[in-house]
Every structure is written in structure tokens, then in C-alpha cells.
Amino acid sequence: MDTRILHAEQAYDIEIAGGILRAGGLVAIPTETVYGLAGNALDPAVSARIYRVKGRPSDNPLIVHISAMEELLPLVESVPEAAKKLAAAFWPGPLTIIMKKSNLVPKETTGGLETVAVRMPSHPAARAIIRAAGVPLAAPSANLSGLPSPSAFEHVCDDLMGRVEAIVDGGDCAVGVESTVITVVGAVPRVLRPGGVSVEQLRAVLGEVEVDPAVLEKPAENARVASPGMKYKHYAPKAEITIVDASLEVYARFVNAHPESVALCFHGEEDLLRVRAVPFGRAEDALSQAHDLFAALHTLDAIGAKTVYARMPRKNGVGLAVYNRLIRAAAFRVLVPEDVWVVGLTGQTGAGKSTVSARLAARGCAVIDCDQVTRDPALYSGDCLKALQKAFGRDIMKPDGTLDRRLLANRAFADADSTQTLNRITHPVILDRLRAAIAECAAAGARVIVLDAPTLFEAGAERLCRRIVSVLADRAVRRARILQRDGITPQEAERRMGAQQTDDFYAERSDYVLDNTVGVTDAEIDEMLAAFGCVKQGDGF
Ligand code: TXA
Ligand code: MG
């Protein structure tokens, strides 16, 4: 079959795509998540052909795409209250809502189920094509079954050229992973597949939201899975991928010891690696990881990668969607090179990091106080001391040969450039000392080692951590705490707080956020440690 290439920005091409779809043909279309293999959702023969073209098992239902709210009503028995709230908050956008279907939707489209999955994409061309077709469009991801979903036009061509009537070129997809799928059919809304709308965002709108166990874990053989798509082999490139659950430094050591492997790492980490690196997104930005992931999987195939070691995405926010896809691409293989848990603990001044740190110590964790490490004058010696004197003046050494920390601080914190100079000189020695402290704790048998560091990120110490926890609190509470604790003026308190990073800065860079506005209970601490997997709930260690 000849496949026509159409262009998303051309109105005439949109009409052609609409005509093909109206006539019962198949067109691959761009959406904001991934490309979809679209056909008339109300025609059983068309749905049957979609399954054939994709090579997809016919019990795995298709998503029905609409362009406006009034197109929803004919497809469903009724619109539950929760669906109304979700549609108002997230449509058009990367969210698919499962509801009870009406008789209009053929069972061929829903894989034999009595429910239908509906989504209103935000991509303007996708909506224009649905409008031009005049019918709702069934559109699974436009890849052959089992292969990574296509987030770029070229990937669609690789899989579908010659198998469909047309492919619409819309460039790269903004989100890059498929939509979040949520069912509102049961008593409590339940996420069946994480995606561009995060579980946290859904909870903010609906309150209670469950996450199906199949999102994180391999469904047991023959288990009944709520979302049939979850049970199939998915997103698999030809390479054998293994996720490495470790700090960046431990990851780099492990990968460098396997010179024949390829590193699926984050941008900016390549410098530490002596093997070929395929980066996807930035460590602190799950959206960028989602955007790059499938293209990176395609690249692995293109370069003929055989053994791939991947960095571990965070399981919160959109990171959960990235983890969900990657763990499937890795056939659930996770490797732990070092069985210690280095947990970075950070947060804003006055948020109460020290109380959390004391709690963790009481729970049996080894705690390294990074402030104490950096305050130790013995740390700054030799070349480091020479460099400090060169940058900040010989007189920063007191006559007794020790460092005049106050004078150094005055000069180094006078302006941003000086601060940067100080950091460039001192951070490497601080990191070395922290590495040594971690090794000491590990040698003494500690399983969970907490790096209590107000400037964890600024010092680059997050590269030593397998997990990161931020302690945050409301601004007014933090202000009151530092006023009382440090005996400073309200102006000074404001100045210090103004120099702090925002809540979002910490949240994006953390695996876990503890809100210490009213306090953190031991139960919350245990829950966190259990969520990391470093200790079972109620387990004294
Ligand atoms: O972002 C997306 O959702 C993309 C674009 C093209 O819109 N589409 C997509 O479709 O990813 P597909 O077919 O590859 O994945 C649909 C997922 C499958 O895991 C399927 O099992 C689930 O949604 N699903 C669809 N209808 C369902 C239903 N009635 N009940 C439970 N799960 C359903
Ligand atoms: Mg798919």
C-alpha cells in the first residue's frame, strides 16, 4: 500500500486526513503524547484492522479520541461526577478517562469490555483531524505492538510505512509518553497507567486516587489486570536494558567497570562515564525525561546497543510514568551494585531538617552532619588552602596558622562571583570528605546513611545519594522558627529566606518531600523508609 505523507500545519492536508478516516481508512496522527494510529472508533471493521496493522492482541482495548465535550455524551452511559471534574481540569490534555460505554461504541473497539477509554488531546492538529473526520477516532500508539511508542515522525514511518493510508507529520511530541489512564468506574478512581498528568495532580482534583499495583510491579503470570495493556511486553528495544538503582557516582563506577555496555543516563552525566552514553532528559526534570525516553530507546537500537545500564527515574510526579515505561523496557530487571542506602536530607532553613535528622538517627540510621564536616578547619589544607589564599587574600590565615572563617565568609559571600570561586575550591574537598565518611559508616555496618546537608544540591552532593528527601514547611512557620532559633532581626530573616530555593526546586530534585509545617511523625518517617524499600514498615533496624 502507498502511504501518503501529510503535514500537520497544512489545512488542506488536515481535510485529506479527515476524508480518509471518514471513508474507513487509517491515518497515523500526531498528538501531544505520542503518535496515534487512528481510525473510525464506531466502525468494528476499522477497529479490527487497527489491531491487525499493529499486531496487537484483540483483548487490549483502544482509546477513543474526541475534539469537544459534546462528543463525549454519545459514547458513555453517563458522565460520572469525577469524570466531569477531571475533564474540566485536564482536557484537552494527556489524560484518558475510563467510563461505562454506550451501545454506540462497538465491543471491537473496547477489546470486549463494557467500558470505554476516552481522551481529548490538546494537540491542535489532532483535534482538527477529529473534527474533519466527523467521528471519534480510536487511536492506539502508532507503533507495532511490543515496540517503543513513537514520539517522533520518523519512528512512525519506521513502523507503519506501507501499512496505513497516510501519516501526518507533526514533528516531535511535546509530552513524549502516553496519556495517564484513570478509571472512574469503581468506588475510588484508579490510575491504570501513569502519564503526563501526575497522580499528585489527580489527587489535587479528586482527593483519593488509587494507583494500580501493575503500574510499578510485574503482574503475576495469568493475573487479571485492570488495564490489559499492562500485561503485555512493552516498549522493548532490542537491547537488554537493566535499571541500576544507585547514586550517580556508584552508577558511574558500575558502568565504567562494564566497558562494552551503553549508559542510558541523564544529560550532564556523560562526563563521569567512560562508556558510550545515550542521555534522556535531565535528572531534576521528569518532563524532559518523558519527552526524550522513547527517542532514546530508538537510538539504542539505531546504534546497535546490546547491554544497556539505565539510571533510575524518580517515582513521583511525571517520573512515575518514566519509571513505568522504563521498567517495562527493562523487563523489570533492576540491579543494586551496593546494598547501602545513602539518603540525602535537605530543605529550607527553618523547615526543621534537624528534627527529622534526629528522628532518622533514632530509627537507627547513621547520620552525617555536613555542616559539621564543612566547619572543620582541618578540612582546608594544602592545595585547597593555597587556592583560598590566592583567591581571597593571604590574611584569611590567622597568625596561629588556622583559617579565619569569618573573614573568609565576609569576602566569599560578598557577591555571587566570589561565592562561586569559594565553592569551586572547597566543594571537591568537601565531597571527598563526605565520600570517606560514607565509606566509614558503611564499613561499620550501617544500612541507611543519611547525609544531612542544607546545601546538598549547591555542593553537588546529590551525586552521592541513592535517594533524596527534602523537608519543607510553610513560609510563616519557617520565619518564626529562624527568628527564635538564631536570634536575628526580622529583616535578616527575610533576607536569608529570600536567598533560599523555592518549594518546587526541592520537590523536583527529591524522591520524597516531608512537610514539617506542623511536624513529622515517626509513622511518616517509617512510611518514607518503607516507600524507598530500605526498611519494611514497623521493622526495627
Ligand atoms: O497518549 C495516548 O494515550 C496515546 C495517544 C495516541 O492518544 N494512545 C495510547 O493508546 O497510548 P494505547 O492503545 O497504546 O494504550 C491504551 C491503554 C492500554 O494500556 C489499554 O489496555 C488501556 O489504555 N485501556 C483502553 N481502554 C481501556 C478500558 N476500557 N479499560 C481498561 N484499560 C483500557
Ligand atoms: Mg501503546
Side-chain angles (χ1 to χ4, degrees), residues 366-428:
V367 176
I368 299 170
D369 180 342
C370 298
D371 267 350
Q372 210 174 321
V373 168
T374 56
R375 267 198 301 264
D376 176 8
L379 187 58
Y380 311 99
S381 61
D383 288 346
C384 173
L385 205 50
K386 281 197 203 115
L388 286 174
Q389 283 183 297
K390 190 154 177 249
F392 297 105
R394 302 203 72 80
D395 56 334
I396 58 164
M397 290 293 291
K398 289 194 259 187
D400 67 0
T402 60
L403 189 65
D404 187 340
R405 287 177 46 90
R406 187 170 285 265
L407 188 61
L408 174 62
N410 282 344
R411 291 183 185 164
F413 297 124
D415 57 78
D417 275 355
S418 306
T419 309
Q420 221 173 11
T421 305
L422 175 77
N423 290 345
R424 207 182 50 242
I425 298 168
T426 57
H427 284 171

Side-chain angles (χ1 to χ4, degrees), residues 110-124:
T110 64
L113 297 176
E114 285 301 335
T115 51
V116 60
V118 186
R119 169 162 119 79
M120 189 195 295
S122 65
H123 195 295

